Amino acid sequence: MKFATRVIHAGMEPDPSTGAIIPPIYQTSTFVQAAPGDHKGYEYARSQNPTRKALETALASIENARFALSYSSGVAASDAVIRLLLPGDEVIAANDMYGGTFRLFSKIFEKTGIHFHYVNMQNPENIRGLINEKTKLIWTETPTNPLMNIVDLAAVAAIAKEKHLLLCVDNTFASPYLQNPLDLGADIVIHSATKYLGGHSDVIHGCLMMNDPALREQLYFIQKSCGAVPGPQDCFLVLRGIKTLELRMQRHCENGEKIAHWLRKNSKVKTVYWCGFEDHPGYAVASRQMRGFGGMISFELKNSSAEETKRVLSATRLFSLAESLGGVESLISHPASMTHASIPREERIKNGLSDSLIRLSVGIEDAGDLTEDLDQAIG
Ligand SMILES: *Cc1c(COP(=O)(O)O)cnc(C)c1O
């Protein structure tokens, strides 16, 4: 079945008790048993909930995975993955990734004795020098946030396989419509479903997808033992969001392309970061591993003073100044003071994230209205 059909039908069994076409929001904590151990597959809602099960079925299907597990947030899903490790284990992570993931690794897990190395993964060979007998996991993200760098997932997966390491890919920026890391050799995919999967800026949610039943068992055990599970209402919202994922992503891609080219032609703009430009260093890899280039764009103004950057960030009317991305409405943000403030300044600058970088999450509005808004803001 094609993606457009799977987003509508996967996980959507008519409700057995009423025939409801949409899985009801099973707002219940427990399930009555006829006799001890004699139940319908549901005992207690931290372990299983029918709304969550419908969502997990849909999530697995759209990422071409055998299994999916869903969480109360994207970082809760990331947290579950690192809980697979033991003190002394080492992780090799991309140096250009979501600030909250860096904070989770450096401020929460580093003190438990798990050690994290950060490396530029645009050249996958850089990973090899950091692998030793303690290395257990490679963690990467592509396109990267907020510099839109591209990591060759098949090349990283080949190194992971050769060295018997797990590979976890944060696929939030691309969404399962544009890229499927498991098909390229990854072991685990993580999404912040808060972004494109939910798609309407109305829910915080995360998920993991995987193919290996043993890995699924370990992660399910962590999910039920640590308890970072989503409520049924949130599962319902993500399930509804997924139905329009293909349509929304197509428009995000169209609008992203128009706005990236428009920005590049603007005389006040110095640099535009978007992986769909043919002269982008990751273009060839992106064209191979993605089905489109998405709606995430960063740029810097020629006048890169703090005042001018701040002025433009506050002057847009349709682009709302806010953290997050992937919703139907366009957002504008300032990574250095917002999403990436938890990364030390020297570390940010070293990785190319300047204080004057502006990030756009291009929504699905009319592209002409969006460029008009940017035009009046950039002035
Ligand atoms: C937002 C985000 C996360 C964290 O997800 P939450 O749902 O906010 O917890 C992780 N990775 C990326 C790339 C993100 O954009």
Side-chain angles (χ1 to χ4, degrees), residues 53 62-63 133 191 217-218 231 239 275 290 304 311 371:
K53 179 154 184 261
I62 61 175
E63 200 53 282
E133 68 286 353
H191 280 277
E217 276 321 297
Q218 287 179 59
L239 202 46
C275 61
M290 300 173 75
S304 62
R311 189 194 65 72
T371 47

Side-chain angles (χ1 to χ4, degrees), residues 72-78 97-101 139 141 143 145 170-173 190-195 203-206 324-325 339 359:
S72 51
S73 68
V75 294
S78 303
M97 61 178 190
Y98 177 67
T101 307
W139 186 291
E141 188 177 312
N145 177 13
D170 185 335
N171 202 30
T172 301
F173 260 45
I190 175 232
H191 280 277
S192 167
T194 311
K195 317 294 169 52
V203 64
I204 295 284
H205 189 98
S324 199
L325 61 112
T339 45
R359 189 186 81 179

Side-chain angles (χ1 to χ4, degrees), residues 17 41-42 70 87 100 102 106 109 112 136 139-140 142 148 151 183 198-199 244 252 268 277 296 320 326 359-360:
S17 55
Y42 298 94
S70 79
F102 178 78
S106 61
F109 281 110
T112 70
K136 294 284 153 46
W139 186 291
T140 195
T142 181
M148 314 303 154
V151 175
D183 293 346
T244 53
H252 283 297
K268 302 237 164 87
F277 289 132
M296 295 303 300
S320 303
R359 189 186 81 179
L360 301 178

Side-chain angles (χ1 to χ4, degrees), residues 138-202:
I138 300 176
W139 186 291
T140 195
E141 188 177 312
T142 181
T144 67
N145 177 13
L147 288 168
M148 314 303 154
N149 290 318
I150 299 294
V151 175
D152 184 338
L153 292 178
V156 175
I159 296 172
K161 249 190 198 82
E162 179 193 324
K163 301 289 182 185
H164 307 290
L165 307 174
L166 284 177
L167 171 61
C168 179
V169 176
D170 185 335
N171 202 30
T172 301
F173 260 45
S175 89
Y177 174 68
L178 294 180
Q179 177 173 276
N180 301 115
L182 297 177
D183 293 346
L184 299 166
D187 299 291
I188 306 171
V189 168
I190 175 232
H191 280 277
S192 167
T194 311
K195 317 294 169 52
Y196 286 109
L197 291 175
H200 295 73
S201 307
D202 53 10

